[in-house]
Every structure is written in C-alpha cells, then in structure tokens.
Amino acid sequence: MTVTTTAAGTANVSAATANAAASAAATAEATGPQSLTMAKALNTAMADAMRADSSVLVFGEDVGMLGGVFRITDGLMAEFGEQRCFDTPLAESGIVGMAVGMAINGMRPVIEMQFDAFAYPAFEQIVSHVAKMHNRTKGKLKMPMVIRVPYAGGIGGVEHHCDSSESYYAHTAGLKVYTPATVADGYRMLREAIDSDDPVMFMEPKKLYWSKDQVDLGALRAEHDAGTSTEGRAAVARPGTDATLIAYGPSVPTALAAAAAAAEEGRSLEVIDVRTLVPFDDETVCASVRKTGRAVVIAEAHGFASVSSEIVARVQERAFHYLAAPILRVTGFDVPFPSPKLEHYYLPSVDRILDAVDDLQWED
Amino acid sequence: MTIHADHSAPETAVEDQAADVRTKFGISVEDYMLPARHQIQMVNPDGTLRPHDEQGTEPGHEYPTPSDAELMAAYEQLVVGRRVNDQNSALVRQGRMAVYPSSHGQEACQVAAAMCLSEGDWLFPTYRDAVAVMTRGVDPVEVMTIFRGDWHGGYDPKEHNVGIQCTPLTTQLLHAVGVAHAAKLRGENTVVMAMCGDGATSEGDFHEALNFAAVFHLPVIFFVQNNKYAISVPLSHQSVAPSLAHKAVGYGMAGERVDGNDLVALLAVMDRAVKLAREGSGPLLIEAHTYRMQAHTNADDATRYRPDSEVAEWQAKDPLTRMKSYLADKGLLDDAASNRIAEHAEAVATQLREGLGEEVPVQPLDLFKYVFAKPTPQLKEQSDMLAGELAREESAK
Ligand SMILES: Cc1ncc(C[n+]2csc(CCOP(=O)(O)OP(=O)(O)O)c2C)c(N)n1
Ligand SMILES: [Mg+2]
C-alpha cells in the first residue's frame, strides 16, 4: 500500500526539525556500537518502521513540528511528511478513537499520549474498543496499533505527569503491555510492538529517556529482520544466587543498583527485567525464584491491586514449595503521586529494597 | 437546606429564550447567539480610543465603557500581574520554582476574568491563570506553592471561591457547571467563570460542559483565552470554525469575541456577560484574542515552531503599554499614580521572592494525611513504615 506524501507539505518545517531529520538519517546509517539514549532508540525504531512500511503512521499532540514534548518523534515529520507524522487537535479520546478507525482501514497507527495521566480521556476508547475489537469480531478486525505512554516519576514532574498507569491497562483483557528498561530494548520492543497485530500499550519510563548505553543499531536491525521476539520474554538483567529482584521499566535500574550494593555486602541478587507485563513470562521469573528461593517485587506504582500484586500471586502459585520466605514488595505507597519535593519519599529506593531483602527470613 | 429551583429547563425553553431576546435586544435569537461580525475592541494598540462605530458593537451586542474607577483599579492589577509573571519566571531561572506557565501578554484577560466577578461568585482557573487567581484575592505565595513543588495546591478554594488550578484540560469546566447548578438549586445568584485555552476547546469535556450549562440554563461564563497556540500546535490545527466564539450557537448560548489585549473592551464585555448571566440569560461563551508571548512553560522551546517576527508583531499590541497610554491621555494616570502602582507591584514581587525563597521543610508524612477524610488501616500501616524509616535515618545521623 502506498501513502503519498507531498513535498509541499513539509516546506514549512523549521530548520531545527530539518536538522533532526538529518541526524536521524545519520543514525540510520551508523553501524557498530555507539552511545545512544533511550529517546534516540525509540525515535530510530519508529523511523525504521516507517521506512519499512508506509502504513505506519505517527500522530498525537505536538509530535509533528515540535517532535513531541520529549522529542521522541523528532525529525519524523521532516522525513516522512505531514501525512505520516502529524499533530491532531488536542483530544486524547479523538486520537485513540481515530487510530481504531485507521487500524480497521489498513493503517498501523503509532500514537502518543503526551503524559500518563493525559491518556485518561482516552480510557473508554482503549478499554471498550482497542482491547475488545479483535475478540468481538472473532479476529476479523485486528488492532495493529501502538499507544505510546511516557509514564512514572523520578523527574520532579508536577501533578498528572508522573502516574504509573500500567496496572489499568494490564488489568484490561485484550491489551498487551510492554515496558522497556534498556536502550536496546527500547528499539527492539518498539519495533516488535509496531509489527504486532495486537494493540500494545507501550509504557515508556520517562526518567530513562536520557539514559545512555552502547548499542549496535546494525545488530539490532538484523535481530529484528530475523524475527527475534521479546514478547513474553523476561530478561535476566543481572545473574545472582541468593534472592531474586523482579522489576520492570523505571524500577529496573533501581533494582540493579540495589543488587550492586548487596554484592558489596556479600549477597548475590539476581535481577529480572520483566519487559512485557502482558504477556507475562512465568517461566523465566519462576525459574529464577525456584533457584534462589526468595524474591522481592519492585514497582513504582501503588502496590494495591497492581501488577506487582499479580506477580506475587503468580509466583507463589507456581513456586510455593521453593520459597524460603514470603515474597515481599517494594512499591509506591497507596497515595496520589506526590509533588516534586515529596516524590523522593514515595519512590522505591535502594535502601527500601535492601531492607526488604533483609526481611526475607535468612536463617543464619 | 432548601432546594428552590428546578433543574430542567421548561418545555418551552427555546421559544421563551427567543421571545426574551426579542423583547430585550430587538434582535433574533440567532443574531443574539452569533458573535458580532467583528471582535469587540475599544482601544487601539497605540492607546487611542476607537470611534464608537468602529468598536465592533452591533444592535444587541452593545457594551458601555467601564467607569474610570474600574479602569484604574484594573490597570493596577494589570501592572501587578505583569510584575508577578516576570518575577516568577526569574524564580524559575534561579531554580526556586519548578515550573511556571506564564500568562505574560495575557494579563488583561487574567485581570478581567477575576474583576468582573462579585464576592460570592466562583472562578475555575487553569494552570496558566495564576494571575487571575491572585487578582481574585488569593495570597500570591499560596498561589505559587503548586509551582514550587511542595504540594499539588496551596490555597483553600473556599476562601475566595476559586477552584484549584487545573491541568487536565477542560475537566474543570464541568466542575464550574456543577457549582453553578448547585447554587441554582439553592436559589443563590452565583455566577461562575470557567476558563480554558484555545487548544483545550478540542477536548470532549469542553463540549460536555457547554452543553450541560446550556441545557440546565446555568449562569456560567466560558472564557477562552485564545493565545494562538497549544504548546506547539497553532489554532488552525484545532478548529476551522469561523471563530471559537461561533461554537456557542451550537449549544444554544451567546458567543462574543473580544480583543484580549484591550483591558477596556474586556471589562466591558465581561461585565455585561456577568450581568446577563446573573439576570438569567443562561451561559455565555467569550473568546479573547491574545497571544502567549513566552514559551508554553520554561521547559518548552518556542523557537522550534513559531517565528520571532510573529512574537514581535504581538509585542506591539501589549496590553500594558496600551492601557497606560490610554489612561494617561485621559488624564487619569499621572506620575504619582504610576509610582504608587509600581510600588504596589514591587511589594508583591518582594513578597513572592521572600515567600518562595525560604526553604519550607516538607512533611513526608503528609503523603498519607489527606488521602481520605476517614483514614484507612492500610495507609496507617504505610505511614508508620515511612515514619520508622525516617526515625532510623535520623538516629543514624
Ligand atoms: C487532557 C490533557 N491532555 C494534554 C495535556 C498536556 N497539555 C498541557 S497544556 C497543553 C496545551 C493547552 O493549550 P491551550 O488550551 O491553548 O492553553 P495554553 O497552554 O495555550 O494556555 C497541553 C497539550 C493536558 N494538560 N491535559
Ligand atoms: Mg493556547
């Protein structure tokens, strides 16, 4: 299928955006390991997907000329034109609802919700249509769309800019929920989400947007083209033997820091990065817990009725006899996400994780 | 409590309104609801008064000039508002405030939105409307607490009848409708000012709020500050209606456009809107044409999406200089008055610097204190856990 893009449409793109396009093109050509931010990895994933398939469209609020408030769509309008990357009127239900129609009619929309809490006006479309269309039509209509949501705290953001909303989506039958924690996974998982014929809530930990890693885009592209999949595959982010820290998204670096600190005290912690909350990788997570016999689940979201409670339930259902202690959780408190000056007291910290590990009933 | 009024509009509401309009203004209900052909503008950007027949008024869209006393009081607030905006931007640069969505350039709208109301009326502001909140009488330091990052709000909404500044776009408009509805049921004559931006008019709640207000015939004034941008997105991407004020007729209410940098015209239009609403006209929609002179917030870079020349064009339409020369030409503003007003503005700026400069210790246990009116055992447990942590940290020092 072809979508014609008019050159005239891009004529008013600012110099800044044109530069961004040039830098995107430069990234596209680079091979070998290079230092890349998560933001750039996500941006490159979208650009690669748009190059590969003209039915991939990017739209939302401020994603065009501005390149998104986090610049994740930077340069896409300049490269692909205003028909394939564009700003919509300011209405989240409209964005998601229109994406549903586009998905029905042959497109693969990749849409951006500006911040976690600003996706709530779209909740009805997401829950009542995006999640259910495939099931209602017995698979006759697929929903190949990605809803990108910058989420969680840690950036000193003001109210409504820091919610961990993943549990609402994970609780909704019919949605896949991905959340990358590394730069390479940012690329891998977004490409896979765009390829997917199922709707994916793509939860981007906003505090990790500017985290950097050495990644080889050429290798990642080859991996993609070979059809390698991360869906339903948790990663062992750090091997260990004494206890398992189960984390995802923004909490993975915190868990890794805790494991590093514990190692200095002679305790070997394994860190599992769940990567896709739906579908959940019972196998990898339970294998780790069977091996270590102890586990702590870490998440920024409120603990009550959450993804973290689901993880505890699943693991104890499957690995009860291997457990030397109850599985504990370190989560955000069950209070509205606090103001910038108080968020530090709310967020899971290395100390809280280490305290929880200490509480895992070590006999000696 | 006694409920006096009825919620539903009478069966004959539509005909009644048409008849009322005909008697009151001598025009058809369509001409009443559609905005006048041109925006209402009384003072030119250079401060000269426009001839009466060029002010945009028409039969049924007539606006008496506000009194000298009102103009002077409003001008004073305008100067204070500008000083507050600039002071806050400076505090952000110094790292004493986390974020500030400035209304620089829109101060005339801010002042008019607050000053047209009476004491018992209500105001529902957005994140950008801190100056309107202050003009209504709320303590400036309390207003800015939210931007300093101590807590999600800093003032008591009931003290001055001002809703908390709202970020999820247009959700507050429905709260404004509810406040008006409750007041109406109690037989109180409360007018509610509901504020939003041009971009926000695209949200679903905007539609729902206007329709509810019209169907329940409530005294709500929807005041849209059309500052031409929603972050980077220009108005042309939000709406292709002839104007935002034209949306009114679709709901069965009157709309009007006004020069949002002309404080005289704004006060005239808003005062009349409040008067009509209080007399039972039902809701009104007012669109003020203004411009966001600065970036969306300090976190935004406006050079990515708009040319400097456009900003310069609007600089020439600044609401302050316009009002200043108008009042000076009229002989209302002499040096003594100017100095006194400047001193007042400086005093407020000092209050902000001092109030926001001092490090107020945060209370971590406040996280749990206000979640519910009736506390829960689970939160008590979590609060105790944090208290224990803090105590251990303290004793480790
Ligand atoms: C429901 C919702 N979606 C998105 C946002 C993010 N956001 C904050 S302000 C803004 C632009 C609003 O523009 P406009 O209504 O014109 O008001 P202005 O900022 O220009 O005063 C956006 C998109 C939000 N606050 N709420
Ligand atoms: Mg605007």
Side-chain angles (χ1 to χ4, degrees):
Chain A
M1 188 202 47
T2 14
V3 173
T4 18
T5 38
T6 49
T10 61
N12 62 346
V13 171
S14 72
T17 324
N19 288 342
S23 110
T27 315
E29 279 148 29
T31 49
Q34 57 175 318
S35 176
L36 217 63
T37 58
M38 166 88 85
K40 192 72 207 169
L42 296 168
N43 177 267
T44 308
M46 278 185 279
D48 284 357
M50 291 175 89
R51 276 181 211 117
D53 180 352
S54 65
S55 66
V56 176
L57 307 177
V58 169
F59 53 93
E61 293 159 9
D62 301 285
V63 299
M65 182 93 81
L66 188 65
V69 293
F70 290 106
R71 307 292 186 264
I72 310 300
T73 59
D74 201 11
L76 298 181
M77 188 174 91
E79 183 178 345
F80 300 100
E82 284 180 48
Q83 299 192 13
R84 293 189 58 202
C85 174
F86 56 90
D87 291 327
T88 63
L90 215 180
E92 296 75 14
S93 178
I95 294 167
V96 176
M98 184 166 82
V100 169
M102 284 191 156
I104 288 173
N105 202 8
M107 300 295 181
R108 306 187 83 85
V110 181
I111 56 183
E112 177 173 299
M113 297 284 104
Q114 196 158 79
F115 281 89
D116 30 65
F118 304 145
Y120 301 148
F123 201 65
E124 179 175 25
Q125 288 289 347
I126 296 173
V127 171
S128 298
H129 297 299
V130 175
K132 293 183 176 144
M133 195 66 80
H134 191 268
N135 187 58
R136 286 178 67 200
T137 62
K138 295 191 169 171
K140 290 190 178 63
L141 291 181
K142 298 196 171 34
M143 281 290 114
M145 67 159 84
V146 181
I147 304 180
R148 298 182 34 248
V149 185
Y151 84 116
I155 60 159
V158 291
E159 200 182 13
H160 315 294
H161 294 71
C162 301
D163 282 13
S164 284
S165 47
E166 69 275 18
S167 299
Y168 303 131
Y169 306 120
H171 186 72
T172 301
L175 298 173
K176 288 185 171 162
V177 185
Y178 292 12
T179 182
T182 67
V183 175
D185 275 349
Y187 181 87
R188 281 189 195 108
M189 292 169 68
L190 187 50
R191 289 278 336 240
E192 184 168 356
I194 298 172
D195 289 344
S196 171
D197 279 341
D198 291 317
V200 177
M201 296 301 302
F202 197 83
M203 310 299 292
E204 300 173 0
K206 62 176 86 73
K207 77 166 188 198
L208 300 184
Y209 274 148
W210 312 114
S211 65
K212 276 191 174 172
D213 243 332
Q214 288 292 319
V215 298
D216 183 343
L217 278 175
L220 286 172
R221 289 185 176 116
E223 236 184 62
H224 169 266
D225 295 344
T228 315
S229 169
T230 46
E231 186 178 286
R233 299 213 170 108
V236 179
R238 176 186 172 115
T241 50
D242 297 339
T244 303
L245 302 181
I246 306 165
Y248 58 85
S251 299
V252 173
T254 321
L256 286 169
E264 285 180 19
E265 291 165 14
R267 203 166 259 163
S268 163
L269 302 183
E270 179 149 301
V271 178
I272 302 286
D273 171 359
V274 175
R275 302 209 287 196
T276 66
L277 309 180
V278 182
F280 188 79
D281 182 356
D282 289 306
E283 209 175 299
T284 304
V285 173
C286 292
S288 174
V289 177
R290 285 191 194 104
K291 180 179 77 179
T292 61
R294 292 178 166 84
V296 176
V297 182
I298 301 139
E300 268 189 35
H302 321 300
F304 199 87
S306 67
V307 169
S308 66
S309 35
E310 174 66 20
I311 296 175
V312 175
R314 304 187 75 78
V315 175
Q316 71 85 20
E317 282 163 2
R318 286 164 179 77
F320 184 75
H321 288 293
Y322 296 83
L323 287 174
I327 303 167
L328 297 181
R329 287 185 293 158
V330 177
T331 67
F333 296 117
D334 295 319
V335 306
F337 194 92
S339 58
K341 290 197 177 168
L342 286 165
E343 79 170 350
H344 152 77
Y345 299 99
Y346 170 92
L347 295 171
S349 62
V350 167
D351 284 347
R352 271 187 204 151
I353 297 170
L354 294 177
D355 285 349
V357 170
D358 283 343
D359 288 343
L360 290 173
Q361 305 182 1
W362 306 87
E363 259 79 277
D364 47 311
Chain B
M1 186 188 66
T2 350
I3 303 285
H4 298 263
D6 195 352
H7 350 230
S8 52
E11 292 294 324
T12 54
V14 173
E15 296 91 71
D16 290 355
Q17 190 175 13
D20 276 359
V21 165
R22 237 175 285 116
T23 351
K24 217 164 167 181
F25 305 110
I27 54 174
S28 74
V29 74
E30 289 81 5
D31 285 343
Y32 166 73
M33 287 180 183
L34 280 169
R37 192 169 294 275
H38 299 287
Q39 69 169 358
I40 308 301
Q41 186 192 346
M42 295 181 166
V43 176
N44 287 310
D46 65 5
T48 53
L49 186 69
R50 291 171 78 87
H52 186 74
D53 58 355
E54 288 174 25
Q55 293 186 354
T57 55
E58 286 170 16
H61 297 258
E62 275 140 355
Y63 297 96
T65 317
S67 72
D68 291 352
E70 186 181 359
L71 293 178
M72 281 301 287
Y75 174 69
E76 180 157 355
Q77 293 300 330
L78 188 68
V79 174
V80 172
R82 172 62 54 84
R83 186 69 190 90
V84 164
N85 274 332
D86 292 348
Q87 179 61 72
N88 285 346
S89 296
L91 287 167
V92 169
R93 284 194 297 274
Q94 295 158 16
R96 294 208 227 156
M97 236 155 103
V99 66
Y100 184 64
S102 177
S103 63
H104 187 116
Q106 301 174 220
E107 291 94 344
C109 297
Q110 297 284 304
V111 168
M115 289 194 64
C116 65
L117 298 176
S118 301
E119 203 178 320
D121 294 340
W122 272 83
L123 177 75
F124 278 85
T126 75
Y127 51 90
R128 199 175 298 290
D129 303 319
V131 169
V133 176
M134 270 183 43
T135 307
R136 181 107 176 104
V138 181
D139 177 83
V141 176
E142 288 183 10
V143 180
M144 305 314 162
T145 302
I146 186 170
F147 301 118
R148 178 163 65 175
D150 300 32
W151 197 255
H152 295 317
Y155 56 87
D156 173 0
K158 288 197 158 165
E159 202 176 310
H160 295 275
N161 289 358
V162 180
I164 48 173
Q165 283 185 266
C166 183
T167 300
L169 298 166
T170 64
T171 51
Q172 78 282 6
L173 303 183
L174 283 154
H175 310 162
V177 169
V179 163
H181 200 162
K184 182 181 171 184
L185 290 176
R186 278 199 303 268
E188 294 160 3
N189 209 348
T190 306
V191 172
V192 183
M193 179 70 58
M195 303 176 76
C196 75
D198 49 308
T201 63
S202 297
E203 290 280 5
D205 278 6
F206 177 81
H207 160 72
E208 296 183 23
L210 268 71
N211 194 45
F212 271 49
V215 166
F216 291 112
H217 203 69
L218 301 170
V220 180
I221 295 163
F222 295 97
F223 182 50
V224 180
Q225 288 170 85
N226 175 357
N227 64 7
K228 308 297 178 288
Y229 287 90
I231 309 188
S232 72
V233 180
L235 180 65
S236 58
H237 283 50
Q238 300 293 348
S239 173
V240 293
S243 80
L244 297 176
H246 277 80
K247 297 193 174 207
V249 66
Y251 297 100
M253 67 174 81
E256 198 71 283
R257 285 174 285 187
V258 55
D259 181 336
N261 286 13
D262 175 358
L263 186 53
V264 181
L266 273 163
L267 290 169
V269 169
M270 303 288 268
D271 284 347
R272 178 178 180 262
V274 170
K275 182 167 172 288
L276 289 179
R278 212 181 299 285
E279 286 168 4
S281 72
L284 297 106
L285 170 63
I286 294 168
E287 174 189 9
H289 277 274
T290 181
Y291 193 76
R292 197 195 73 210
M293 293 300 292
Q294 299 181 343
H296 174 67
T297 66
N298 45 294
D300 175 37
D301 173 11
T303 62
R304 286 179 74 108
Y305 52 81
R306 69 182 188 188
D308 292 345
S309 57
E310 187 183 284
V311 182
E313 216 173 281
W314 279 90
Q315 186 67 49
K317 301 182 195 167
D318 187 76
L320 253 85
T321 46
R322 180 187 311 206
M323 192 66 178
K324 188 172 183 179
S325 22
Y326 173 69
L327 293 175
D329 289 351
K330 253 189 124 188
L332 289 171
L333 188 69
D334 56 13
D335 285 352
S338 269
N339 291 340
R340 191 187 52 72
I341 291 172
E343 268 168 39
H344 175 194
E346 210 39 55
V348 176
T350 307
Q351 194 186 347
L352 282 169
R353 274 196 309 276
E354 286 171 358
L356 298 170
E358 73 189 70
E359 256 320 307
V360 184
V362 286
Q363 304 295 336
L365 296 182
D366 282 359
L367 285 183
F368 306 97
K369 217 167 147 184
Y370 306 104
V371 180
F372 293 113
K374 182 178 172 195
T376 64
Q378 286 76 20
L379 285 191
K380 170 83 173 73
E381 192 181 297
Q382 294 179 19
S383 179
D384 290 348
M385 180 200 139
L386 179 59
E389 249 180 36
L390 295 170
R392 280 196 302 281
E393 264 171 37
E394 194 54 38
S395 63
K397 269 187 199 160

